Amino acid sequence: MLKERGISKKDLSRKEFLDYAWEWKEKYGGIILEQLKKLGASCDWDRTRFTMDEELSEAVIDTFIHLYKKGWIYRGVRMVNWDPQGKTAVSDEEVIRKEVNQKLYYIRYAVVNSELVKTKEITPHSLLTTNYLTIATTRPETIMADAAICINPNDERYFHLHGKKALIPLINREIPIILDEYVTMDFGTGCLKVTPAHDLNDYELGQKHLLPVIDILNDDGTLNENAQILVGEDRFAARKKIAVLLEEAGALAKVEEYKSQVGFSERTNAVIEPKLSMQWFCKMDEMAKPALDYVLNGEIKLIPEKFINTYRYWMENVKDWCISRQLWWGQQIPAYYLPNGAYVIAKTKEEALEQANKLITTTSPFTIDDLKQEEDVVDTWFSSWLWPISVFDGFKDPDNADINYYYPTNDLVTAPEILFFWVARMIMAGHEFRGQAPFKNVYLTGIVRDKLGRKMSKSLGNSPDPLELIEKYGADGVRVGMLLCSPAGNDLMFDESYCEQGRNFANKVWNAFRLVKGWEVDTNLPNNNQIAIEWFDSRFNQALTEIEDNFTQYRLSEALMATYKLVWDDFCAWYLEMIKPAYQQPIDQETYARTISFFENILKVLHPFMPFITEELWHDDELFGARADKDCCIVARLPYNGEVNTQLLLDVEIIKQVVTQIRNIRNTKQISPKEALQLSVKPNSSINYSQHQLIITKLANISELNLVNDKVNGAMSFLVATDEFFIPLNESLDPLAEAERLKKEKEYLNGFLKSVNAKLSNERFMSNAKPEIIEIELKKKTDAEAKLRILDDGLAALEN
RNA sequence: GGGAGUUUAGCUCAGCUGGUUCAGAGCAUCUGCCUUACAAGCAGAGGGUCACUGGUUCGAAACCAGUAACUCCCA
């Protein structure tokens, strides 16, 4: 925004910058809220809050003071990831490591000849005649910051160097040669230059050996006076120049190509500089322990569970949290420096002054102008981790109605990449400040990727605009599309075609509504649809249990799919077709009433996925009658624990198979759906086909359904379970082809029977397998045998 | 370098404690239909050596070991 207006941050005061930042926040924060509203997020929009709001900021400051008093916040020199371009410390997680082609410089350091040193006869010539050791480094510009050379004490090549000193080339500063097993003997030359100020490992090594820390870099990545040479040059320019200088001095042994990992700043893409700097830290170990326990003992559930391992690893190896940031946007750290460099922590400048004067007794007390507040602000997560409490003013007013009601909450939905930054720390803060975890379940969504598996990003331009998608497919369509490709815990490969599927589904619901709404009721008509109604009732109750089960396991895309199939297949494709009156014919009262009630239930199940269309249809007075004020789909109750007639469900599955078989015959025989067919059934099972006659004749366009005791010769036949069906066709049946078909089926059954028999005659199977498994195998056997007999009969009949 | 995870149909994924939920779903594909709710649709069909190699078992997509490829976290 500033760039667009041609404003540079350098020209602004802190106050001015913050004004712009707020302006930006109002604009873009507003856009995000609008997108959420458009997507149908059901929130209390009158009570939005922001971590920089006054009350929430106050909580941040109070927390800082609280933790400081506890001794958990301290100031320390630490190696941080310094972004020389942004001039700020960034967290480890904001550093992106990339493999980069670099050069490995081999540099000769003179080993100090004590004799020569004594006589101070160090000249280029004397150096040349002295012993050398060679080190390998990718960063020759840092040699001026070297504090030692380290070798492995077991390295036989360098026994003669023990206790000696070396000279840094170009600046001829003397540094000790130290021994540490940390050095890998077979990497590089086996001699390691130790540069505590500019490398994390070297820093630790330096601490161990009490080496001085010489920082030769400025905040912007240029060399400072400590470097003695190339002062003011940028680190990368200095690298090239020093290589030349070393070459000229005869100190450069060789240069090799080398691949290594280099850290880049996520924000500015600048190469990260390990830098010692004064930062504020928050101790983590004591807070991490209870936070880990909540998850390990199941008080907080992570979904999916696979994240527990990662969580545990992080919490067990937790490092102190660097909470200071060299930025303006954020809560300014409540530390006030005195002229002598000491500081006090206080909520306001006045309190700080009071404290300072209490602390130090001098003849002339400090004045308010003597105090200077810390410029740094806290890390953004230092406000976010308080969110579950601060959002309800739980710090200022720990017993207010809101927080008592909303804390702890049930579910937190968030992205796995901030499991540690945010989730873990919220758990810590929850425990520390309320003695209770802030939530029970953490649902970790996938990262949205594009079809090719790439992360959505601005630079790739592969992130779709939600508002555009909504424009194209409708908010419900987009929601369904997103959920269709969101299996729990996996990344989601987003593709617009899912939204298209969502839109088509919404369209389907709309059309079903149109159909039902168009029906006229004739109260004189009898209800012929009892079976269909009972069937769908059972099917709905069964599906509801399934859907609910999916929800409790946070399998959202599966809950959606179960709903999708219930609505599209069971309701639209089967039920509505079963009861649909002929064109412009009326429907009976009872069927109509039951269907409307089914439709209402359908809307309730659909609502979480498609809030807009369902609420819209719900309020159609014509179909559902006028509704009371607060009678909305969003709060409607689902009819749980409805009865499920399992036998009926099974019977209708058979009926559906019969219908499908007939349709299949039409398809293969090219018979128009308009042409009614005759159907004869020779039932061998217990299914009462006359009971289901209406459904079959309607869905398969059957003119008459006859129950017969004998085969019908010369008719097309098929089997469903063990029942035989016959359709006489106008054209004469080709007996050879028919025999061929039956033989093929027989062949398959024989093979199947053979494998079943093999199991049953296997002694070890019979003695080891569970009885119910054996029973199932036996049933397979008798069923297959029965079918084979029917096929044989059919074949025999054909031959006659 | 250390740790974790993934691999099932063209795509995205289910598949629990080994056996009728066992090879599944949706989409895509193919065939036939403008059948008065819906062509953004209807009806039907075809797709897989469950990454590979061994092992355990009466029985393995599932359990074990090894191999390969990919992903993530940490150094």
Side-chain angles (χ1 to χ4, degrees):
Chain A
M1 185 175 84
L2 289 177
K3 229 180 223 171
E4 275 169 27
R5 298 189 196 171
I7 304 169
S8 164
K9 192 185 159 187
K10 282 179 217 145
D11 303 334
L12 296 174
S13 69
R14 187 173 189 129
K15 167 83 178 56
E16 286 166 334
F17 176 81
L18 288 178
D19 287 345
Y20 282 117
W22 274 104
E23 188 189 328
W24 188 92
K25 179 260 162 189
E26 291 305 328
K27 186 176 169 198
Y28 289 93
I31 290 177
I32 293 170
L33 292 183
E34 284 313 306
Q35 287 177 342
L36 285 170
K37 284 182 195 170
K38 283 246 165 64
L39 270 172
S42 165
C43 304
D44 192 345
W45 298 113
D46 299 332
R47 300 208 295 166
T48 59
R49 301 215 83 174
F50 180 49
T51 48
M52 290 282 285
D53 289 347
E54 205 175 307
E55 293 88 348
L56 282 80
S57 289
E58 196 183 336
V60 169
I61 301 304
D62 289 345
T63 305
F64 188 98
I65 296 169
H66 169 94
L67 292 173
Y68 178 77
K69 283 184 183 154
K70 246 186 143 160
W72 287 359
I73 284 186
Y74 62 94
R75 206 162 169 251
V77 173
R78 280 297 175 90
M79 190 65 80
V80 295
N81 300 302
W82 184 258
D83 176 348
Q85 200 172 316
K87 288 193 202 162
T88 179
V90 295
S91 69
D92 287 348
E93 290 76 14
E94 289 166 299
V95 176
I96 302 162
R97 291 194 165 73
K98 293 184 211 163
E99 188 154 277
V100 170
N101 285 319
Q102 289 193 293
K103 287 191 165 65
L104 191 60
Y105 298 86
Y106 286 79
I107 304 171
R108 280 197 287 250
Y109 284 48
V111 176
V112 175
N113 182 326
S114 45
E115 294 303 310
L116 287 176
V117 171
K118 259 181 216 159
T119 55
K120 300 198 172 170
E121 284 180 34
I122 308 172
T123 62
H125 175 76
S126 67
L127 279 175
L128 280 172
T129 58
T130 329
N131 286 327
Y132 289 100
L133 61 82
T134 308
I135 58 98
T137 178
T138 55
R139 307 204 53 193
E141 74 277 14
T142 63
I143 59 169
M144 292 81 80
D146 286 356
I149 297 288
C150 189
I151 53 176
N152 193 306
N154 304 315
D155 197 333
E156 294 178 10
R157 294 172 296 179
Y158 299 125
F159 280 165
H160 64 282
L161 295 177
H162 290 198
K164 294 256 171 63
K165 293 187 172 180
L167 280 182
I168 299 173
L170 305 177
I171 59 167
N172 288 336
R173 183 156 54 75
E174 203 174 89
I175 50 172
I177 295 170
I178 59 169
L179 306 176
D180 200 293
E181 294 190 346
Y182 164 79
V183 179
T184 320
M185 288 188 276
D186 47 16
F187 181 81
T189 60
C191 294
L192 175 75
K193 82 192 225 358
V194 186
T195 320
H198 300 292
D199 183 278
L200 182 59
N201 295 317
D202 290 11
Y203 177 72
E204 278 161 14
L205 197 59
Q207 293 286 88
K208 195 171 156 189
H209 292 271
L210 302 173
L211 296 173
V213 175
I214 304 150
D215 189 338
I216 60 157
L217 287 176
N218 291 315
D219 285 355
D220 61 358
T222 56
L223 272 61
N224 64 23
E225 291 77 29
N226 291 336
Q228 300 178 39
I229 53 171
L230 300 171
V231 174
E233 296 276 356
D234 180 74
R235 54 195 167 139
F236 296 114
R239 183 176 303 173
K240 282 184 187 141
K241 288 188 179 168
I242 202 161
V244 177
L245 294 176
L246 288 167
E247 178 88 69
E248 285 166 6
L252 191 60
K254 61 173 170 173
V255 180
E256 277 179 358
E257 292 298 320
Y258 182 68
K259 261 191 191 151
S260 71
Q261 297 275 326
V262 175
F264 291 84
S265 165
E266 193 175 33
R267 292 184 210 167
T268 65
N269 204 34
V271 173
I272 290 296
E273 190 66 47
K275 183 181 166 64
L276 287 170
S277 80
M278 197 56 98
Q279 299 286 342
W280 293 89
F281 287 88
C282 181
K283 276 172 100 169
M284 286 277 104
D285 42 359
E286 277 181 71
M287 282 195 275
K289 177 77 177 70
L292 175 60
D293 289 343
Y294 281 116
V295 170
L296 290 188
N297 67 23
E299 270 180 80
I300 295 177
K301 278 205 190 98
L302 302 186
I303 298 136
E305 286 180 351
K306 68 177 177 187
F307 287 108
I308 293 176
N309 280 340
T310 339
Y311 182 83
R312 183 218 298 259
Y313 183 83
W314 195 74
M315 297 306 265
E316 284 177 351
N317 297 284
V318 71
K319 283 179 263 171
D320 284 353
W321 178 11
C322 178
I323 53 172
S324 46
R325 290 296 126 100
Q326 290 66 48
L327 301 169
W328 282 346
W329 179 246
Q331 288 86 7
Q332 207 171 341
I333 289 175
Y336 296 87
Y337 294 97
L338 302 174
N340 65 3
Y343 63 85
V344 290
I345 303 292
K347 197 163 178 177
T348 61
K349 210 170 186 181
E350 288 71 28
E351 281 177 36
L353 181 66
E354 203 177 307
Q355 269 193 49
N357 282 325
K358 243 185 250 168
L359 223 78
I360 302 160
T361 43
T362 55
T363 43
S364 54
F366 295 114
T367 66
I368 202 104
D369 294 328
D370 291 330
L371 295 176
K372 198 169 166 289
Q373 189 177 356
E374 168 66 79
E375 288 279 314
D376 290 1
V377 298
V378 291
D379 179 18
T380 167
W381 300 109
F382 197 82
S383 54
S384 307
W385 75 322
L386 307 176
W387 183 258
I389 305 170
S390 61
V391 73
F392 297 117
D393 286 336
F395 284 97
K396 213 171 166 185
D397 186 5
D399 201 30
N400 74 67
D402 273 351
I403 193 144
N404 285 336
Y405 181 78
Y406 289 108
Y407 191 101
T409 189
N410 291 331
D411 302 329
L412 171 76
V413 179
T414 192
E417 66 257 43
I418 54 174
L419 178 60
F420 310 129
F421 299 150
W422 194 37
V423 180
R425 287 169 184 161
M426 279 195 285
I427 298 173
M428 291 180 195
H431 181 81
E432 175 64 22
F433 300 108
R434 285 195 80 82
Q436 199 182 6
F439 30 70
K440 296 189 190 82
N441 304 295
V442 180
Y443 180 86
L444 297 152
T445 63
I447 297 168
V448 181
R449 292 173 183 278
D450 67 7
K451 219 175 158 181
L452 302 171
R454 299 175 306 186
K455 236 172 155 170
M456 298 269 170
S457 77
K458 274 182 223 153
S459 54
L460 278 171
N462 59 352
S463 38
D465 176 355
L467 296 181
E468 262 173 44
L469 285 176
I470 289 172
E471 185 66 30
K472 208 164 162 193
Y473 301 105
D476 286 341
V478 174
R479 286 170 69 103
V480 168
M482 294 300 293
L483 282 164
L484 276 172
C485 56
S486 316
N490 284 331
D491 286 358
L492 95 220
M493 305 292 168
F494 179 79
D495 186 70
E496 261 193 54
S497 65
Y498 289 108
C499 293
E500 200 181 330
Q501 196 182 342
R503 178 201 57 183
N504 294 354
F505 186 43
N507 197 42
K508 187 73 186 177
V509 174
W510 173 250
N511 279 312
F513 168 80
R514 279 182 52 212
L515 173 69
V516 176
K517 197 177 168 176
W519 287 339
E520 296 293 327
V521 177
D522 183 341
T523 45
N524 297 319
L525 284 176
N527 172 13
N528 290 324
N529 300 309
Q530 201 50 40
I531 300 261
I533 291 169
E534 275 177 39
W535 168 74
F536 186 75
D537 193 37
S538 277
R539 178 62 202 118
F540 180 85
N541 291 331
Q542 186 190 41
L544 193 58
T545 315
E546 246 176 73
I547 293 162
E548 191 55 21
D549 189 49
N550 282 321
F551 271 125
T552 54
Q553 294 183 61
Y554 294 83
R555 296 164 162 232
L556 302 188
S557 60
E558 284 179 56
L560 170 57
M561 191 41 73
T563 309
Y564 181 91
K565 286 193 271 193
L566 171 73
V567 174
W568 199 308
D569 299 343
D570 297 315
F571 187 67
C572 294
W574 290 102
Y575 175 74
L576 288 180
E577 293 298 328
M578 286 176 189
I579 62 151
K580 184 160 100 179
Y583 180 54
Q584 286 190 336
Q585 293 298 304
I587 193 161
D588 70 274
Q589 176 66 52
E590 195 185 351
T591 306
Y592 185 69
R594 293 299 302 271
T595 304
I596 284 177
S597 142
F598 288 152
F599 208 103
E600 255 188 346
N601 282 336
I602 294 270
L603 292 179
K604 293 179 202 168
V605 192
L606 278 173
H607 186 272
F609 305 109
M610 312 178 104
F612 293 102
I613 189 174
T614 50
E615 202 65 73
E616 176 71 24
L617 298 183
W618 183 264
H619 288 283
D620 186 275
D621 293 350
E622 220 179 298
L623 194 63
F624 298 111
R627 291 196 185 271
D629 243 11
K630 293 192 171 161
D631 181 1
C632 291
C633 191
I634 191 172
V635 290
R637 298 236 160 229
L638 277 162
Y640 288 112
N641 305 319
E643 267 177 50
V644 176
N645 181 342
T646 325
Q647 189 56 50
L648 181 61
L649 286 172
L650 288 173
D651 285 359
V652 172
E653 279 317 299
I654 300 285
I655 301 304
K656 282 158 80 174
Q657 274 183 51
V658 173
V659 171
T660 301
Q661 286 276 19
I662 298 168
R663 284 170 175 169
N664 196 4
I665 286 172
R666 277 187 198 280
N667 248 328
T668 49
K669 296 282 171 193
Q670 307 271 6
I671 302 166
S672 157
K674 286 177 189 161
E675 188 183 332
L677 297 171
Q678 282 189 311
L679 179 68
S680 300
V681 196
K682 179 174 176 289
N684 300 314
S685 72
S686 56
I687 293 178
N688 179 356
Y689 283 98
S690 55
Q691 200 185 5
H692 300 294
Q693 184 168 358
L694 202 74
I695 293 175
I696 297 176
T697 52
K698 194 168 188 176
L699 296 186
N701 192 13
I702 297 298
S703 54
E704 55 177 315
L705 185 142
N706 306 306
L707 292 173
V708 294
N709 295 317
D710 295 305
K711 290 182 182 304
V712 178
N713 286 329
M716 195 70 199
S717 71
F718 62 90
L719 266 179
V720 170
T722 51
D723 300 327
E724 294 168 76
F725 294 82
F726 306 93
I727 299 176
L729 297 176
N730 290 335
E731 58 173 301
S732 55
L733 203 64
D734 179 359
L736 282 177
E738 187 63 7
E740 194 56 38
R741 193 178 63 81
L742 293 181
K743 275 182 189 160
K744 249 191 175 164
E745 210 168 320
K746 215 180 125 178
E747 206 176 302
Y748 168 81
L749 273 172
N750 273 322
F752 178 75
L753 193 59
K754 206 176 150 190
S755 77
V756 174
N757 278 331
K759 268 192 195 175
L760 288 170
S761 57
N762 182 332
E763 253 177 62
R764 288 202 274 185
F765 172 73
M766 296 303 280
S767 55
N768 288 324
K770 281 178 262 173
E772 33 310 0
I773 301 297
I774 294 176
E775 204 159 308
I776 286 161
E777 291 299 318
L778 283 169
K779 183 163 188 313
K780 277 190 200 168
K781 181 185 159 89
T782 50
D783 282 358
E785 282 168 349
K787 279 192 185 177
L788 276 171
R789 269 197 302 279
I790 294 166
L791 288 174
D792 279 335
D793 290 351
L795 275 170
L798 278 172
E799 275 157 26
N800 286 337

